[in-house]
Amino acid sequence: MTDFAAPPVALMIAPDQDFDGAPVLFRRIALEGGHGAVVSAALEATALGVVTPLVGGRPVTDEVLTPGWSSYEWRLRYRRWEVAPEAVADGAELALALGNGWYRGQLTWLSLARVYGPELAGWARLELVYADGHRQVITTDQTWQARPSDTTFNDLYDGQTIDARRRGAALPTVGVHAIDFDPAKLVPFETPPVRPLQEIPPQKVFRAPSGKVLVDFGQNLVGWVRVKVSGPVGTTVTLRHAEVLEHGELGTRPLRRAKATDNFVLSGGQDVFEPRLTYHGFRYVEVAGWPGGPDAIGDGSLTAVVVGSDVPPTGTFECSEPLLNQLHHNAVWSMRGNFLAVPTDCPQRDERLGWTGDLAIFAPTAAFLGDVSGFLGDWLVDLDLEQAHAAGLVPFVVPDVLKYIAGDPTMPPVDTVAVWSDAAVWVPWTLWQAYGDRAALERQYPAAAAHLRRLAGLLESDGVWSQGFQFGDWLDPDAPPDNPAAAKTPPVVVATAVAYRTACLMAQMADLLGLAEDAAEWRALAGRIREGFRDRFVRSDASGCWVESDAPTAYAIAIAWELLTPAETAAAGVRLAELAAAAGYRISAGFVGTAFILDALAQTGQLDAAYRLLLQRECPSWLYAVTMGATTIWERWDSMLPDGSINPGEMTSFNHYAYGAVADWLHRVVGGLAPAEPGYRVIRFAPRPGGGLTWAKVELATRFGVARCAWQAADGHLAVTVTVPDGATGVVDLPGLAPVEVAPGEHRFTA
Ligand code: BGC
């Protein structure tokens, strides 16, 4: 059917009574006679809160938590679904089941609630087309009514309570009222919807030392548990969720204030409960109150439902080392769990915010693993909006709820900070590299430029960025657990190098978009910063090159972002490899350094050191968590200590994708597949085998088609097969051979 001719006109309506934060707005459909049957139907809906639309008592979609989280102050997404015409019978009910979601539920570690407004409300337009072409439009207005649902409590952090005794019971009905809402805020969905993505059965039901009943789903995941149960009416079954066990019991301390608890009250008959108005990050569930005890938990009683934004998967990686495959798996699952409506830092504790720095670091990995053009493109719209309302300041989190607690002692001073604010430039640049969408780059350019202008104003006259608060090389393993910003590499070194990288990327962006004046301005700025960095922080002579603090991150970023001369770069690579060896090839860098250290080593001929770091199993290292049974990437190298106790730090998530940024290196350098030109129009196939790996293969669904690189090493020979999709070109660059250009198709090489 065709799109609505007129812009959506419907009222945003709220129930006259709140009904435990989960009211259902409804009305009956009255079909217009004389036009034949309904041949097509489409529903558009959204909410201040979250909404499940139903026609004739059935949800019109499997999507959940609609409309997701956007910067509601300025932008509210509405979604459109086709509805089966036969569902639209005369007298059938059109309903909007609401929940608190991000709009009115708790947000942040301060348990802010009602951040965006006090009242839940729904908005909908149902358009029917009859056999004779007649159109009928039913919209939300004051004639609707409201009643309670079976949910008596719902909150994203704390969980949901569902009382099945309410189902089918005669429930009170109240009226509705229109609330003040500017329809200009409505925007169509561009981000993939949130929906159930997968179901996982329990691996094990067992008793903890305390006697409590625990269920292990075998995978740290994000979503909820669907429960099928029968028992005496009024019985309450309680599920508490956690990512890990500690001393055999549910490890809930890392959740901080998030209760992550669902309660289900039984009707006395056969009940199915699915808490769709909350979500949890968990692998383990503690079950209390199960009728008949744990032995009565049978097949199909409990099912974990994985929920997330439905980002199309695009890239895979596999190699001969099972631990690396598990590491890659963990990055995939941390992306899946944290790409839920917005890219969040973590999915489990009282936080779950769109931290910009985490994404700035992880974006290249994300853009390989999935087609994130819609998901991140949409998030960037909010980044721009927040920034435009804050004089060019890119907030720490998007959507920015922290602006409502600015000045609180738990909040660092808010200003432009290195890496986090640079998401305004780094993320669009990553999307440009992955998808080659010039229009998208053009859209982001003004916001990116506003960020750099603001940043430039913070620099000293010699281009050094010394003032203001910085997160710096966040979570350096040598920083104390309670002061994650206290890294070995001083913030001024990280920030100045970051400013240089950002200015360079902006110069390239301006060139691409034909903005010669801007390009010249950014280039001059970059030149000034580079000089300042070198003057203050770099010393070199015939014996070597030294970068301020002599810490790995300082060398990694100076090399990777080209702040050094070629001779210094080589010498810095030697020093970086020495430091890696001195640390026993354990990780000695934080968020920033870790994302670039392997590239810096590989680039300077220190591939062996890079592989040693990659394959290290002792803590801190990427594989330490894997050897501890991790199924997602951890926030800290030692979120779980070797003795099986949880890190005492305040922030100890077991599902944080930032350190999963190493997967990008697995794809490009171990696997050997990278864009040589934006959007993979030219693909670089350049595997650099090492570390005793005997084979690896990497595959990516590019916009041109599937590209592949697979290699096997045996008897000192390297056999490589590459696949170039139609419309693209390949450049094959193998150790010891001159690079060659290849056409679409499959090609084999031996090196
Ligand atoms: C988040 C991080 C974030 C950091 C910034 C933490 O609470 O979980 O991932 O980037 O704060 O300081």
Side-chain angles (χ1 to χ4, degrees):
M1 83 179 258
T2 51
D3 275 350
F4 294 145
V9 276
L11 297 177
M12 186 63 84
I13 56 169
D16 289 343
Q17 197 182 322
D18 188 53
F19 292 128
D20 305 312
V24 180
L25 308 172
F26 67 97
R27 63 157 284 164
R28 301 238 160 248
I29 297 169
L31 293 184
E32 292 174 355
H35 299 288
V38 173
V39 291
S40 71
L43 179 67
E44 292 184 332
T46 190
L48 302 178
V50 291
V51 60
T52 303
L54 304 99
V55 173
R58 285 174 185 273
V60 303
T61 171
D62 68 342
E63 294 167 19
V64 295
L65 300 172
T66 309
W69 189 11
S70 55
S71 294
Y72 295 138
E73 297 94 332
W74 310 289
R75 198 168 79 102
L76 181 68
R77 304 179 191 111
Y78 67 93
R79 185 92 176 116
R80 177 190 172 90
W81 302 274
E82 300 301 315
V83 179
E86 31 323 335
V88 194
D90 193 44
E93 190 184 84
L94 170 60
L96 303 174
L98 303 181
N100 292 316
W102 297 270
Y103 185 83
R104 206 179 63 166
Q106 295 182 83
L107 293 172
T108 82
W109 52 88
L110 295 178
S111 308
L112 297 187
R114 302 173 177 245
V115 169
Y116 295 102
E119 276 187 299
L120 296 182
W123 176 100
R125 262 173 69 98
L126 176 66
E127 186 172 87
L128 309 176
V129 179
Y130 289 80
D132 68 354
H134 177 71
R135 279 165 188 259
Q136 178 187 359
V137 181
I138 298 170
T139 59
T140 36
D141 61 22
Q142 285 97 339
T143 67
W144 286 51
Q145 290 175 286
R147 61 164 183 260
S149 68
D150 57 1
T151 290
T152 58
F153 175 81
N154 72 98
D155 182 77
L156 296 178
Y157 291 176
D158 282 352
Q160 188 169 349
T161 300
I162 305 176
D163 187 343
R165 293 172 304 184
R166 283 192 177 190
R167 295 173 180 167
L171 298 168
T173 307
V174 299
V176 303
H177 55 278
I179 66 166
D180 194 19
F181 174 78
D182 177 3
K185 289 182 185 171
L186 290 171
V187 292
F189 250 69
E190 279 176 26
T191 193
V194 178
R195 59 158 50 101
L197 301 173
Q198 189 180 336
E199 299 196 349
I200 301 184
Q203 282 209 338
K204 201 163 81 162
V205 180
F206 59 104
R207 284 211 187 259
S210 62
K212 291 182 173 153
V213 179
L214 295 175
V215 180
D216 178 2
F217 287 95
Q219 170 64 49
N220 193 24
L221 62 94
V222 173
W224 51 67
V225 176
R226 186 175 58 231
V227 170
K228 285 190 188 162
V229 62
S230 59
V233 60
T235 309
T236 301
V237 172
T238 299
L239 265 48
R240 291 170 69 220
H241 304 71
E243 301 187 287
V244 290
L245 300 180
E246 189 174 32
H247 312 306
E249 305 288 338
L250 205 65
T252 54
R253 186 173 51 79
L255 307 180
R256 303 195 306 216
R257 294 193 199 191
K259 294 196 181 73
T261 302
D262 297 329
N263 291 298
F264 304 128
V265 185
L266 275 50
S267 70
Q270 177 69 44
D271 293 318
V272 179
F273 296 96
E274 194 160 350
R276 295 165 186 259
L277 299 178
T278 188
Y279 72 89
H280 313 294
F282 68 100
R283 168 174 169 171
Y284 300 94
V285 168
E286 185 186 285
V287 183
W290 195 273
D295 294 343
I297 299 177
D299 280 355
S301 298
L302 302 169
T303 306
V305 180
V306 179
V307 173
S309 288
D310 196 1
V311 170
T314 49
T316 60
F317 167 87
E318 222 185 320
C319 71
S320 58
E321 173 51 63
L323 295 177
L324 284 184
N325 294 338
Q326 181 67 39
L327 176 68
H328 192 264
H329 165 103
N330 294 359
V332 169
W333 275 86
S334 281
M335 170 164 155
R336 190 170 294 160
N338 281 297
F339 277 21
L340 193 161
V342 298
T344 58
D345 57 335
C346 60
Q348 73 298 81
R349 67 180 177 223
D350 53 358
E351 193 153 2
R352 314 185 194 186
L353 305 176
W355 281 96
T356 47
D358 303 46
L359 184 68
I361 296 286
F362 187 70
T365 301
F368 182 94
L369 295 176
D371 180 348
V372 293
S373 55
F375 181 76
L376 293 183
D378 181 85
W379 180 78
L380 284 170
V381 174
D382 283 333
L383 185 143
D384 294 3
L385 280 168
E386 298 284 0
Q387 190 199 19
H389 288 86
L393 172 68
V394 178
F396 296 164
V397 300
V398 173
D400 185 17
V401 282
L402 298 184
K403 62 179 175 270
Y404 299 112
I405 56 170
D408 183 275
T410 60
M411 267 293 291
V414 179
D415 204 342
T416 297
V417 292
V419 179
W420 274 253
S421 305
D422 295 284
V425 177
W426 295 12
V427 177
W429 184 253
T430 296
L431 298 181
W432 163 248
Q433 293 298 321
Y435 309 117
D437 179 351
R438 194 175 185 278
L441 192 68
E442 211 159 2
R443 261 198 313 277
Q444 288 311 126
Y445 183 82
H451 161 64
L452 186 52
R453 288 223 158 79
R454 189 181 163 105
L455 191 170
L458 299 173
L459 303 178
E460 291 184 48
S461 57
D462 67 351
V464 167
W465 187 358
S466 57
Q467 58 163 298
F469 167 80
Q470 294 289 348
F471 291 116
D473 192 23
W474 187 247
L475 280 174
D476 180 328
D478 294 317
D482 58 352
N483 188 6
K488 294 187 290 296
T489 307
V492 63
V493 173
V494 174
T496 307
V498 164
Y500 174 68
R501 180 182 200 227
T502 290
C504 291
L505 295 181
M506 285 302 293
Q508 290 182 66
M509 261 193 222
D511 279 343
L512 281 161
L513 299 175
L515 304 167
E517 256 176 55
D518 279 17
E521 182 186 345
W522 305 139
R523 222 155 250 132
L525 175 65
R528 179 158 67 90
I529 301 170
R530 189 169 188 272
E531 239 173 84
F533 183 93
R534 297 176 50 74
D535 274 2
R536 290 228 218 160
F537 308 131
V538 181
R539 297 286 168 269
S540 63
D541 57 28
S543 65
C545 172
W546 182 87
V547 184
E548 174 73 38
S549 75
D550 198 33
T553 292
Y555 293 101
I557 58 182
I559 294 169
W561 301 341
E562 298 175 9
L563 280 143
L564 307 174
T565 64
E568 288 167 351
T569 300
V574 171
R575 181 65 188 143
L576 182 57
E578 274 169 18
L579 290 171
Y585 296 105
R586 293 186 181 85
I587 295 285
S588 188
F591 254 44
V592 186
T594 310
F596 298 96
I597 197 163
L598 296 185
D599 272 319
L601 288 167
Q603 231 170 288
T604 49
Q606 307 293 342
L607 192 64
D608 185 52
Y611 271 100
R612 280 169 182 251
L613 275 176
L614 178 67
L615 294 168
Q616 173 63 258
R617 299 175 193 194
E618 299 290 316
C619 190
S621 69
W622 283 287
L623 294 186
Y624 164 71
V626 173
T627 64
M628 292 291 285
T631 57
T632 39
I633 302 287
W634 296 350
E635 177 172 26
R636 296 174 183 271
W637 298 112
D638 56 351
S639 282
M640 179 72 80
L641 303 177
D643 68 0
S645 57
I646 297 169
N647 187 303
E650 251 285 277
M651 306 169 351
T652 304
S653 146
F654 292 86
N655 200 353
H656 240 73
Y657 49 58
Y659 285 142
V662 68
D664 181 45
W665 200 78
L666 297 179
H667 304 147
R668 287 184 292 107
V669 183
V670 180
L673 185 70
E677 280 188 22
Y680 294 84
R681 206 177 59 73
V682 180
I683 305 169
R684 184 173 145 81
F685 297 95
R688 291 291 178 268
L693 300 187
T694 53
W695 60 267
K697 58 180 180 195
V698 64
E699 196 172 291
L700 178 70
T702 72
R703 300 229 156 152
F704 296 94
V706 175
R708 277 188 210 93
C709 185
W711 60 261
Q712 271 190 303
D715 309 326
H717 289 294
L718 182 65
V720 183
T721 309
V722 307
T723 308
V724 182
D726 282 344
T729 309
V731 174
V732 180
D733 177 357
L734 301 177
L737 295 181
V740 287
E741 210 180 282
V742 289
E746 193 178 286
H747 309 271
R748 289 169 197 278
F749 297 85
T750 308

